[in-house]
Amino acid sequence: MHLEGKVALITGGSRGIGRAICLRMAQDGAQVVVNYRQGATEAAAVVREIELAGSHAIALQADVSDGAQVLEMYRRGVEALGPVDILVNNAGVFRRGDLADFDFSQLAPMRETNVDGLVHCTRAAVEGMKQKGWGRIVNVTSIAAHGTSMPGTTFYAATKAAVMVLTRRFAMELGASGITVNAVAPGFIVTDMSAGLAAEAILAKTIMRRAGTTDDISHAVSFLVSPASSFITAQVLTVDGGRMDYLSHG
Ligand code: NAP
């Protein structure tokens, strides 16, 4: 219960990796803001699960790509639970395509969630963290940005590379205020997002020969917001079972 007395906001907390992070933050003792864009029913179910386990959570709708919606979500979150101590920028979308076939109209919406959304949420949360002289920010990037060989991920990878750069730069800007900023880079994790990917080909390139679970990621996030990691910032923690396609450039 190392997060007792803390408030954690998880973007895209209604499903998949974000859902697991919400449950884990609550288990660790935090009060949780479960952000979602469309999945009100799923977000309400996450809140119920947390409440049944004896912790406190609320669900707040906001499309993170919209700065005004983020500010309104943050205002409502502070009103209900107080300023956010822990921000997990997890909300993300994947639009398939490479140089030859990418539908360019999909680039802006993908960037607006994966990159702009992270900036809107971080801007909203850091003032309260600075006032307390303590804060933890974890951004969810992807091993696609390390240079995996998986087809169809080129432009998605570019947005996730931006997440890695922003992680390091924000860490530099915020460290003196007692705020750490790190990222988790998941490999192949079984969620709605990865449902269309070629699982067998990916597993053949994974040292551990299994797909990741959403808890493989929530454990890593739990570590990065725990006292055990208080001297760790500006890092990308890769959680991918050992992917050989970019490690060996094969
Ligand atoms: P997912 O199952 O598709 O869930 C995505 C979540 O993000 C949903 O809760 C969705 O909410 C929310 N979301 C999407 N756009 C949003 C927006 N504009 N504003 C607010 N919420 C938004 O995806 P996932 O697999 O859990 O992925 C979570 C993160 O991990 C993403 O950043 C993804 O890029 C990254 N990742 C995933 C994998 C993988 O293999 N799954 C690998 C590497 C990295 P609604 O349902 O309400 O729309």
Side-chain angles (χ1 to χ4, degrees):
M1 298 293 275
H2 57 84
L3 299 182
E4 209 143 351
K6 306 285 190 210
V7 175
L9 165 62
I10 290 81
T11 68
S14 54
R15 291 187 283 127
I17 292 170
R19 174 181 176 280
I21 296 170
C22 287
L23 298 176
R24 181 59 194 254
M25 294 296 99
Q27 260 176 31
D28 289 346
Q31 300 191 78
V32 178
V33 180
V34 181
N35 159 254
Y36 66 98
R37 179 183 48 178
Q38 293 166 327
T41 310
E42 289 97 331
V46 176
V47 168
R48 225 174 9 259
E49 205 171 331
I50 289 173
E51 301 267 336
L52 279 174
S55 302
H56 187 39
I58 58 169
L60 290 179
Q61 194 280 333
D63 181 335
V64 296
S65 69
D66 182 324
Q69 288 188 33
V70 168
L71 284 179
E72 177 57 13
M73 166 180 70
Y74 195 77
R75 191 193 63 72
R76 290 171 59 200
V78 170
E79 202 173 82
L81 302 178
V84 167
D85 304 287
I86 296 160
L87 169 66
V88 183
N89 285 306
N90 163 79
V93 293
F94 169 55
R95 299 282 181 267
R96 185 185 286 269
D98 295 326
L99 183 61
D101 61 355
F102 187 68
D103 171 0
F104 240 69
S105 68
Q106 294 301 309
L107 183 58
M110 185 163 61
R111 194 210 67 224
E112 282 162 11
T113 291
N114 297 1
V115 182
D116 304 11
L118 177 150
V119 177
H120 293 316
C121 293
T122 304
R123 278 199 163 151
V126 290
E127 281 319 309
M129 293 179 183
K130 281 180 179 172
Q131 277 167 25
K132 292 187 184 179
W134 194 94
R136 295 286 176 268
I137 299 173
V138 181
N139 299 322
V140 181
T141 175
S142 167
I143 59 163
H146 286 324
T148 54
S149 59
M150 177 131 52
T153 61
T154 294
F155 292 92
Y156 171 74
T159 67
K160 291 299 188 177
V163 171
M164 289 187 186
V165 172
L166 292 174
T167 297
R168 297 191 182 106
R169 298 299 303 219
F170 290 170
M172 288 183 219
E173 292 189 41
L174 298 169
S177 302
I179 302 167
T180 66
V181 187
N182 292 291
V184 172
F188 176 55
I189 309 297
V190 178
T191 67
D192 296 341
M193 184 183 282
S194 60
L197 299 177
E200 263 179 45
I202 295 170
L203 297 191
K205 294 173 178 170
T206 304
I207 293 171
M208 299 307 294
R209 295 287 190 272
R210 72 166 174 89
T213 67
T214 55
D215 275 341
D216 287 320
I217 306 306
S218 70
H219 294 320
V221 173
S222 174
F223 167 67
L224 287 173
V225 303
S226 75
S229 67
S230 65
F231 201 47
I232 297 177
T233 195
Q235 302 304 308
V236 177
L237 177 54
T238 297
V239 185
D240 67 352
R243 276 284 286 274
M244 294 177 281
D245 46 338
Y246 70 89
L247 286 177
S248 64
H249 297 283

